[in-house]
Amino acid sequence: MTFAGKVWKLLVGVKDALVLLFMLLFFGGLWALMSAHPKVGSGQRGALFLQLDGPVVEQPAQPTAAQVFGGGNAPRQYRLRDVVQALRAAAKDGRVPAVVLNLDIFAGGGQTALAEVGAALDEVRKAGKPVLAYASAYDDDSYQLAAHASEVWLNPLGGVAITGPGGTELFYKGLMDKLGITANVYRVGTYKAAVEPFIRNDMSPEAKQALQGVYGAMWENWQQDVKKARPKADVAGYVADPNGRIAAAGGDLAQAALKSGLVDHLGDWTAFGKRVAQIAGVRDDDVPGSFRKIDYGPWAAANPVDDDGAQIGIVTVAGDIVDGNAGPGTAGAETIVRALDKALANRDLKALVLRVDSPGGSVLASERIRQAVLAAKAKGLPVVVSMGNLAASGGYWVSTAGDKIYAEPSTITGSIGVFAILPSFQGTLAKLGIGADGVKTTPLSGEPDLLRGPSPEVGKFIQTGIDSTYRRFLVLVGAARHMSPEQVDKIAQGHIWDGGTAHQLGLVDAFGTLDDAIHEAARRAKLDPATAKAVWLEKKPGFADRLVASFARGDRDDDAQGGGDAFARIAGRPKLLLARAMAEADRLLAGPTIQARCLECPVDGSTARQAPPPSSGFTLWLLKLVG
């Protein structure tokens, strides 16, 4: 074959490949658009079926193409406001005679978020519609939701394992000493325990004191929520002596839970399905336990929050606060500011609600978001803050822009402190027999020197920046809360607080949900709270994002049973702990950025399961050494 013929054949092959790729993208996109907003038929009737096989979060992360198409893990997440809206719609819709919760592999969501879902379940029951919950095993989070059901079902081979908040954290000082790694720490705050894993082998008394108070409040709030929803359940007695209750039930975990009033019925999925079918009808006579149902996905898409003509904008700060742009689930400062600026330019907004569910992060990014909110405030828009599960450190920094702050008793906030951490490897080089030397033209040349250790000059330079930033933090909080910096300092120092204590200290103004914050924003804007509508100021997913998300949803089997014995989730916690610890180490050691971040804050099940894989060379190297 001539050279020209070979070239022609190559071009034809390229053309055919491009045509095939275009056709795949076209039909894939067409299918995605058709399935991205599935409808519920007007004649369809059945129980609203929520198989919560992932965590409830403030803002779900967008699954990546690599996760969906590359064999990776694309965990499903449920947006809190979508779940609440779906339940409220079900309460009012005659096509839905009941709500069914499958909590077999529920991944949690934090007490504040789950309390909101529980309140929505209560609305369904007040509308005269039963709520039925099923699981092979219940833990703290899944039982907090199940307690709001009118019927709680448990597999006869399962059990209820309520552990309460608390647990063990990892500390790396001994390992770092063996590896010759020095953690150069710069911080302000007696209670700023984020750096302790790198400078200690145990928790400081101050950190224990702070966590004990927060965990105690969390446990009390959990018990109150469950007791209010299910007053006849002897949760306190069961938790105080689980082994005694189990022994009294002949060693049967499920019977112990039944006799303690924690559950109403014992039965497998088929028996549960037959019970639901008595209320919602049988879907397929040939399938035992089959019942008529409306899946959550299509229902949520068909019943979105109505934001037409909305005059209240909701700015979401969820996840780590980072510089630059970021996808959903991470608070990228530029992404948030751009969405806010666009909404102010194109919408007739009268007020803002700042919804915060974040442990903080970059100080510069936190200030960037705060300044953008203040710019809107300067135009005459009142700003009300609504705190979710967590609004600590940088999350509190951005909250100082509000005119009024709402939180819940179970909200974790405070952590007003600043730190930076730099690893250096002079000890490692010495162990390996490697030297490091050079010349300088100024005291800061080549600094921070991670090979020989930061010099005293650069150490003083960084600590001065930390001190200055902390003073700035105190001034911001003082101005927002009508306190002097000295008064703020007494309740700051990196101390974390539960929402109830934070309210007593003056860090928040009132207890309330997001709805309460929206109503307050409406009142301040002289709008009718009963009719005022809100719109979420978020970047809308593009075509590629919707395509990937649709494929991710397509992999789900709504009838699949996850299950597991009563100890399966407990046994998996060490793995989650290690994954989260490595992810936190990666974040901290990635650079010398001054951070207002709360690593010591208690995390919910969703956060633990979202821990990203380590990306820095150091953390990967460390993993190889220890594993």
Side-chain angles (χ1 to χ4, degrees):
M1 182 181 294
T2 64
F3 176 78
K6 293 180 180 179
V7 172
W8 175 254
K9 185 176 182 180
L10 176 62
L11 292 175
V12 171
V14 171
K15 182 264 296 180
D16 291 340
L18 290 174
V19 170
L20 179 60
L21 179 61
F22 174 81
M23 292 178 63
L24 288 173
L25 289 174
F26 174 80
F27 287 107
L30 184 61
W31 175 80
L33 289 174
M34 294 176 63
S35 60
H37 300 286
K39 302 298 181 182
V40 177
S42 59
Q44 187 172 354
R45 182 182 183 277
L48 176 60
F49 182 56
L50 281 76
Q51 178 162 294
L52 297 176
D53 53 351
V56 174
V57 299
E58 190 67 38
Q59 190 180 66
Q62 173 68 36
T64 66
Q67 288 176 320
V68 175
F69 301 113
N73 181 29
R76 187 166 185 174
Q77 299 174 344
Y78 295 83
R79 191 191 305 271
L80 171 61
R81 68 173 186 259
D82 293 343
V83 174
V84 171
Q85 172 62 18
L87 291 172
R88 288 175 174 172
K92 301 174 183 177
D93 198 308
R95 293 173 296 173
V96 181
V99 169
V100 173
L101 301 174
N102 181 0
L103 301 172
D104 243 353
I105 49 178
F106 181 47
Q111 287 186 16
T112 301
L114 298 186
E116 287 194 44
V117 177
L121 291 171
D122 293 341
E123 291 183 34
V124 175
R125 294 182 62 181
K126 287 178 182 178
K129 301 181 180 183
V131 176
L132 299 92
Y134 175 89
S136 298
Y138 291 101
D139 60 10
D140 296 37
D141 282 350
S142 58
Y143 192 76
Q144 185 179 355
L145 280 191
H148 290 267
S150 46
E151 293 185 24
V152 182
W153 284 66
L154 175 68
N155 190 293
L157 299 179
V160 178
I162 297 172
T163 62
T168 303
E169 299 293 335
L170 293 177
F171 291 79
Y172 315 110
K173 180 64 166 59
L175 173 62
M176 294 178 71
D177 288 343
K178 290 182 179 181
L179 299 176
I181 302 170
T182 301
N184 302 280
V185 171
Y186 312 90
R187 64 171 171 170
V188 180
T190 304
Y191 296 91
K192 201 62 186 173
V195 299
E196 286 192 353
F198 303 96
I199 59 175
R200 299 177 59 99
N201 276 327
D202 58 1
M203 190 176 292
S204 69
E206 294 82 5
K208 281 190 176 181
Q209 176 190 2
L211 272 182
Q212 190 65 51
V214 170
Y215 281 142
M218 291 175 64
W219 178 232
E220 183 64 27
N221 290 329
W222 186 93
Q223 292 182 89
Q224 289 180 3
D225 186 19
V226 170
K227 185 173 182 60
K228 182 179 178 181
R230 196 172 177 83
K232 294 182 179 180
D234 186 13
V235 176
Y238 181 86
V239 172
D241 186 20
N243 289 325
R245 294 295 177 94
I246 294 170
D252 190 318
L253 275 70
Q255 283 291 338
L258 181 66
K259 291 182 178 181
S260 297
L262 273 64
V263 301
D264 300 300
H265 304 284
L266 301 183
D268 59 15
W269 180 255
T270 300
F272 175 74
K274 290 180 179 178
R275 168 58 184 148
V276 177
Q278 292 175 353
I279 303 170
V282 177
R283 183 182 63 178
D284 189 338
D285 292 327
D286 296 328
V287 179
S290 170
F291 58 88
R292 293 175 61 89
K293 64 185 177 70
I294 301 175
D295 289 326
Y296 166 78
W299 179 260
N303 293 275
V305 176
D306 179 15
D307 60 9
D308 289 340
Q311 293 180 298
I312 299 175
I314 301 180
V315 180
T316 303
V317 181
D320 289 341
I321 300 176
V322 300
D323 299 295
N325 296 298
T330 300
E334 297 307 318
T335 301
I336 293 173
V337 171
R338 189 180 303 111
L340 175 57
D341 290 344
K342 182 178 179 181
L344 291 174
N346 300 327
R347 288 180 175 271
D348 183 24
L349 297 179
K350 303 300 184 183
L352 290 179
V353 171
L354 189 64
R355 176 67 171 179
V356 183
D357 189 9
S358 169
S362 165
V363 168
L364 291 176
S366 301
E367 177 63 6
R368 177 84 171 101
I369 296 171
R370 190 186 77 90
Q371 288 293 342
V373 175
L374 287 178
K377 194 174 178 179
K379 297 179 179 179
L381 275 69
V383 177
V384 178
V385 176
S386 170
M387 292 180 170
N389 289 315
L390 182 62
S393 213
Y396 196 86
W397 185 296
V398 301
S399 298
T400 60
D403 299 308
K404 186 171 184 177
I405 298 177
Y406 282 92
E408 295 283 9
S410 54
T411 297
I412 306 302
T413 187
S415 190
I416 301 170
V418 187
F419 71 91
I421 183 169
L422 286 172
S424 58
F425 304 91
Q426 60 269 33
T428 305
L429 297 183
K431 291 177 181 288
L432 298 175
I434 301 174
D437 202 358
V439 297
K440 294 186 175 184
T441 55
T442 74
L444 298 183
S445 294
E447 295 289 350
D449 190 341
L450 303 186
L451 297 180
R452 295 185 298 179
S455 68
E457 290 84 0
V458 79
K460 183 177 180 180
F461 185 85
I462 296 175
Q463 186 61 52
T464 300
I466 295 291
D467 294 338
S468 175
T469 304
Y470 181 65
R471 288 194 298 271
R472 170 68 170 159
F473 206 163
L474 297 181
V475 170
L476 290 178
V477 176
R481 309 311 303 165
H482 308 293
M483 302 178 186
S484 68
E486 292 74 23
Q487 289 174 313
V488 177
D489 186 46
K490 292 179 181 179
I491 58 176
Q493 294 288 321
H495 200 301
I496 60 175
W497 304 103
D498 61 275
T501 305
H503 183 235
Q504 296 174 5
L505 295 173
L507 290 175
V508 302
D509 295 298
F511 295 137
T513 64
L514 176 59
D515 285 342
D516 294 320
I518 293 173
H519 292 163
E520 176 65 18
R523 284 190 291 268
R524 288 174 178 264
K526 295 181 171 53
L527 302 173
D528 182 1
T531 58
K533 295 181 181 179
V535 58
W536 275 262
L537 309 183
E538 299 172 345
K539 179 184 176 182
K540 303 299 182 183
F543 169 77
D545 295 329
R546 295 197 301 272
L547 176 62
V548 172
S550 65
F551 275 105
R553 288 194 302 268
D555 291 337
R556 310 293 178 182
D557 183 357
D558 286 334
D559 290 320
Q561 293 299 299
D565 61 63
F567 306 102
R569 295 174 190 170
I570 297 176
R573 288 178 182 174
K575 181 179 179 181
L576 295 174
L577 173 65
L578 182 60
R580 175 175 170 251
M582 291 296 98
E584 300 294 10
D586 186 58
R587 289 190 184 103
L588 282 178
L589 302 178
T593 305
I594 296 176
Q595 299 185 54
R597 191 162 185 272
C598 183
L599 291 184
E600 66 273 27
C601 288
V603 296
D604 56 67
S606 64
T607 306
R609 287 162 173 79
Q610 293 179 66
S615 59
S616 71
F618 168 75
T619 311
L620 291 174
W621 178 61
L622 184 62
L623 274 173
K624 291 179 180 178
L625 285 176
V626 300

